[in-house]
Amino acid sequence: TSLVPASVYEHKTVLVAGSTWPADEDHLFPVMEKLDHNQSDLLFILVPHEPNVEHLDQIEFKLGKRLSIIRFSALAHYSGEKVILIDCVGILLSLYAVADVAFVGGGFHTNVHNVLEPAAYGAPVVFGPHTGKSQEARALTDSGGGYRVQTRRELYRMLRRFLSDSEHRQAIGDAARRFVQQRGGTTDKIADYLEALLRRNGHG
């Protein structure tokens, strides 16, 4: 189960941006603003790789001019903000459970982070160009469940299509889930894998 109450994300299309670095955010923030301008039902869950005070403040300063933000720690007071900024560690995996689409950070920094976690939940996965050390990211791309983008414009076009076209999103998400299933063997193994990860992160 997700740590974000269902009442916050119900009837919304959710983009979870996980493990983002400033270089990812420089590409993502203008894209988020444009996406929101064109589609009113969006909710963004932003999970910075390093949620230290300085980085969180910087995100609020940069993004808060464009979109309304609430921190996860203040979610009890949620009143329709467009962006939930995660200000703690260890909960990203459970957040991918509510993602319609996932952006995985690191790809505009030095190397993309774990793409299998959102894929296991059946979310299409989008990431930046640096996949050098990530065999999974390259294989997920080959399987049709992941998409590597080079520029801000490509990122916008890719996310816009996924967020606005539920049939396309479903097809790509299914490909992503199948990819993880084929690597892990069975659905049970995926469930075990996710459960073990959650336990390792202190949930359950």
Side-chain angles (χ1 to χ4, degrees), residues 4 6 26 81 104 111 116 122 127 150 192 200:
V4 175
D26 286 345
E81 284 82 3
V104 175
N111 194 60
L116 295 183
F127 40 86
Q150 302 277 352
D192 292 345
R200 196 181 75 204

Side-chain angles (χ1 to χ4, degrees), residues 19-186:
S19 298
T20 60
W21 293 83
D24 300 304
E25 292 153 10
D26 286 345
H27 287 77
L28 188 62
F29 290 176
V31 166
M32 285 165 60
E33 182 184 17
K34 198 172 171 188
L35 289 167
D36 179 68
H37 182 71
N38 287 311
Q39 188 175 339
S40 60
D41 71 336
L42 299 183
L43 175 69
F44 303 101
I45 300 178
L46 182 65
V47 190
H49 184 67
E50 294 180 337
N52 55 51
V53 173
E54 191 182 355
H55 192 186
L56 293 169
D57 286 349
Q58 190 181 38
I59 288 170
E60 284 178 331
F61 178 72
K62 281 186 188 167
L63 193 56
K65 295 173 185 171
R66 307 169 184 197
L67 295 166
S68 52
I69 301 181
I70 187 170
R71 291 197 187 194
F72 177 72
S73 57
L75 209 51
H77 308 291
Y78 181 74
S79 60
E81 284 82 3
K82 288 289 184 172
V83 182
I84 299 172
L85 175 59
I86 305 301
D87 53 357
C88 59
V89 295
I91 67 166
L92 175 57
L93 183 63
S94 72
L95 295 169
Y96 281 139
V98 304
D100 290 299
V101 181
F103 171 82
V104 175
F108 287 106
H109 179 56
T110 52
N111 194 60
V112 67
H113 290 283
N114 190 331
V115 297
L116 295 183
E117 293 173 0
Y121 282 114
V125 187
V126 180
F127 40 86
H130 299 301
T131 57
K133 297 178 197 152
S134 178
Q135 206 179 334
E136 285 95 355
R138 291 196 298 277
L140 181 63
T141 305
D142 293 342
S143 79
Y147 285 81
R148 180 169 171 254
V149 296
Q150 302 277 352
T151 63
R152 191 182 290 180
R153 190 171 174 195
E154 270 183 60
L155 178 62
Y156 171 74
R157 282 166 52 197
M158 190 65 65
L159 291 178
R160 172 97 173 110
R161 172 123 197 244
F162 284 138
L163 291 166
S164 62
D165 182 342
S166 58
E167 280 182 27
H168 179 61
R169 180 168 74 232
Q170 184 77 47
I172 303 302
D174 288 347
R177 189 187 278 117
R178 266 197 311 277
F179 170 77
V180 179
Q181 284 171 351
Q182 283 156 5
R183 286 179 83 89
T186 65

